[in-house]
Amino acid sequence: MDQPVYDYIFSGFGLAAYLSLDAMLEIGCLEGKQILIIDSPEPPEEKTWSYWERGKGLYDVLLLASWKKGWFVSPHQQTECLRSELIYKSISSVALRNYLVEKIRKHDNISITFENVVDFSDDGNHISLTTNRNRYQSKKLFNSIPKTTLDFGDTPVLLQHFEGWVIQSPQLSFAQDEMVLMDFTVPQRHATRFMYVLPFSQTQALFEYTLFSPSLIDKNQYEQGIRDYLSSKNITEYTIEKTESGVIPMTVYPFWKANTKNILHIGTAGGWTKPATGYTFLNALPLAAKLANDIKNQNSDFTRFFKTNRFLWYDRLLIEVLYRDNASGQQLFTQLFTKANPANVLRFLQQQTHFWQELPILLACPKVPFIKAALRSLRPYKK
């Protein structure tokens, strides 16, 4: 049956919706508005989101853990990346969701329903949205549900795919206040592979076997990669307390071109994932703040929400290089983190650098493949 017209509907209730809603509530732009959140009937999958930032942040009270030192490790050297300038942080999706649900309960104008979204459209004035149970109308829609099928044309798509084990062991030797951002000492096997390590205590840590590659591998290869790494660190006695896996697209495909005047795609569905890293939390924070300010200032045409910049071009070059020669990742990242200031590299990946900070980073990249990628970037991708 038809429902009342809402001011805003959130289709999907994940990271991008959490951050966007929170930003809107903080600046008071939802007062007097009717908001509907359409969440999946399936229980949400627990995830851990990690990011780096300078000093205190918005969600420090919710953090699972934080680290003041972060290491990049290659077969011949290791480099500390945070340099007392940045803090690496992890937050649980459960903690962030619970925090926001408690916040929403204080607002009678925000309601949540658990249904499966089937379709939606924009007639230029209103949004019509159909679920498996109802039909809704709204003035604006924020959609975070990715299309199940998408034609990328000739735009390269790398995948950040991983499996992680949280283990308990008396043999852990990592300092609790230090994490490992990338350990490239794992066998590469003609692909970009590394281990990511987050120690939570003297006896508990996350070990995540991660690849940046165009295709997935068998599940047993991730598991064997973790076992081999633990063995190389003389960790033979352990129990697996939790597992986590995921696949994140790394691409400069223009997801935002699907935005309309009244429909804004957010999160992975809107290209809010940082193409060069696969990090979403870090990239979504400023976009959520921009969305809240646009709503407050009545900048209501979402076809104008996304703006390209030089960082998107940098992302394109890196993805082009790794897509065409996936085995080059170890050398590429080693040069980036050892020839340039690694803290600046992290700020660069956060899009918080100016050109004179970026120049040493660009010069640290392998010259020939990046020059070829730059020449290829002169033509647009085809659909």
Side-chain angles (χ1 to χ4, degrees), residues 11 117-122 127-130 141 143 145 263 265:
S11 171
V117 175
V118 175
D119 195 16
F120 51 79
S121 61
D122 179 2
I127 300 299
S128 296
L129 185 146
T130 306
L141 172 68
N143 173 61
I145 303 175
I263 298 174
H265 296 278

Side-chain angles (χ1 to χ4, degrees), residues 118-341:
V118 175
D119 195 16
F120 51 79
S121 61
D122 179 2
D123 67 7
N125 294 310
H126 289 92
I127 300 299
S128 296
L129 185 146
T130 306
T131 72
N132 60 321
R133 287 169 43 195
N134 290 297
R135 281 180 17 187
Y136 298 99
Q137 287 188 311
S138 71
K139 297 175 183 176
K140 301 289 180 182
L141 172 68
F142 310 111
N143 173 61
S144 58
I145 303 175
K147 288 185 178 180
T148 52
T149 58
L150 198 60
D151 182 5
F152 289 97
D154 66 350
T155 306
V157 180
L158 283 175
L159 302 173
Q160 180 192 132
H161 48 113
F162 57 87
E163 174 154 334
W165 292 354
V166 175
I167 71 164
Q168 189 81 25
S169 171
Q171 298 173 317
L172 294 183
S173 58
F174 297 93
Q176 190 175 338
D177 200 34
E178 302 182 12
M179 54 82 63
V180 179
L181 188 67
M182 288 177 155
D183 186 339
F184 272 102
T185 60
V186 302
Q188 296 298 283
R189 298 190 179 94
H190 309 292
T192 298
R193 303 173 187 234
F194 58 91
M195 190 64 70
Y196 168 72
V197 184
L198 299 180
F200 298 122
S201 72
Q202 291 182 340
T203 59
Q204 185 190 57
L206 166 70
F207 293 83
E208 199 166 88
Y209 189 71
T210 307
L211 289 86
F212 293 170
S213 64
S215 57
L216 304 180
I217 60 174
D218 292 335
K219 179 177 175 60
N220 63 355
Q221 291 187 51
Y222 301 102
E223 296 173 347
Q224 190 60 50
I226 299 173
R227 281 193 290 266
D228 289 345
Y229 186 82
L230 293 175
S231 178
S232 74
K233 301 296 181 183
N234 297 315
I235 302 171
T236 56
E237 301 173 18
Y238 57 87
T239 56
I240 303 171
E241 297 190 326
K242 187 191 302 184
T243 64
E244 185 174 307
S245 61
V247 181
I248 303 168
M250 300 167 63
T251 179
V252 293
Y253 178 84
F255 294 95
W256 58 88
K257 288 189 176 180
N259 295 341
T260 68
K261 179 182 178 183
N262 300 308
I263 298 174
L264 179 68
H265 296 278
I266 63 177
T268 300
W272 284 25
T273 297
K274 174 68 173 171
T277 64
Y279 280 82
T280 301
F281 195 101
L282 198 66
N283 214 43
L285 275 172
L287 290 170
K290 171 178 165 47
L291 174 56
N293 282 308
D294 282 359
I295 294 297
K296 184 175 183 178
N297 297 325
Q298 299 183 347
N299 298 329
S300 57
D301 185 350
F302 293 141
T303 61
R304 302 175 182 174
F305 181 82
F306 189 89
K307 294 181 180 179
T308 59
N309 57 32
R310 67 187 184 280
F311 292 102
L312 189 66
W313 183 68
Y314 298 149
D315 288 340
R316 172 172 174 164
L317 298 188
L318 185 140
I319 290 170
E320 279 267 359
V321 170
L322 289 181
Y323 186 82
R324 291 175 180 270
D325 183 10
N326 198 232
S328 67
Q330 183 189 69
Q331 178 196 7
L332 191 162
F333 286 105
T334 297
Q335 290 187 210
L336 273 178
F337 281 99
T338 59
K339 290 188 175 182
N341 180 324

Side-chain angles (χ1 to χ4, degrees), residues 32-174:
K33 306 292 185 182
Q34 293 300 312
I35 297 96
L36 176 67
I37 301 166
I38 304 177
D39 195 9
S40 169
E42 300 296 322
E45 180 183 351
E46 184 177 356
K47 298 179 180 180
T48 302
W49 294 303
S50 298
Y51 55 103
W52 57 84
E53 63 183 346
R54 186 191 296 271
K56 293 183 178 179
L58 289 174
Y59 299 104
D60 280 7
V61 295
L62 302 176
L63 291 181
L64 183 64
S66 63
W67 300 266
K68 293 182 179 178
K69 286 188 177 181
W71 294 95
F72 174 89
V73 184
S74 70
H76 304 295
Q77 64 190 110
Q78 60 181 25
T79 304
E80 204 283 295
C81 302
L82 303 179
R83 300 290 176 96
S84 302
E85 300 174 39
L86 302 170
I87 301 173
Y88 198 82
K89 305 178 180 183
S90 282
I91 188 171
S92 163
S93 62
V94 174
L96 186 57
R97 183 187 179 95
N98 290 343
Y99 162 81
L100 195 59
V101 168
E102 284 300 312
K103 211 167 184 178
I104 287 171
R105 284 176 179 161
K106 300 174 184 177
H107 298 267
D108 295 336
N109 60 326
I110 304 176
S111 55
I112 302 178
T113 184
F114 297 91
E115 303 174 34
N116 290 316
V117 175
V118 175
D119 195 16
F120 51 79
S121 61
D122 179 2
D123 67 7
N125 294 310
H126 289 92
I127 300 299
S128 296
L129 185 146
T130 306
T131 72
N132 60 321
R133 287 169 43 195
N134 290 297
R135 281 180 17 187
Y136 298 99
Q137 287 188 311
S138 71
K139 297 175 183 176
K140 301 289 180 182
L141 172 68
F142 310 111
N143 173 61
S144 58
I145 303 175
K147 288 185 178 180
T148 52
T149 58
L150 198 60
D151 182 5
F152 289 97
D154 66 350
T155 306
V157 180
L158 283 175
L159 302 173
Q160 180 192 132
H161 48 113
F162 57 87
E163 174 154 334
W165 292 354
V166 175
I167 71 164
Q168 189 81 25
S169 171
Q171 298 173 317
L172 294 183
S173 58
F174 297 93

Side-chain angles (χ1 to χ4, degrees), residues 252 274-277 309-322 332 336 347-363 365 370 373-374 377 381:
V252 293
K274 174 68 173 171
T277 64
N309 57 32
R310 67 187 184 280
F311 292 102
L312 189 66
W313 183 68
Y314 298 149
D315 288 340
R316 172 172 174 164
L317 298 188
L318 185 140
I319 290 170
E320 279 267 359
V321 170
L322 289 181
L332 191 162
L336 273 178
R347 278 192 291 267
F348 170 74
L349 294 173
Q350 202 174 353
Q351 304 185 178
Q352 291 184 349
T353 49
H354 56 69
F355 178 74
W356 294 111
Q357 291 174 315
E358 293 156 22
L359 188 58
I361 296 169
L362 299 176
L363 293 174
C365 295
F370 272 85
S377 74
Y381 291 124

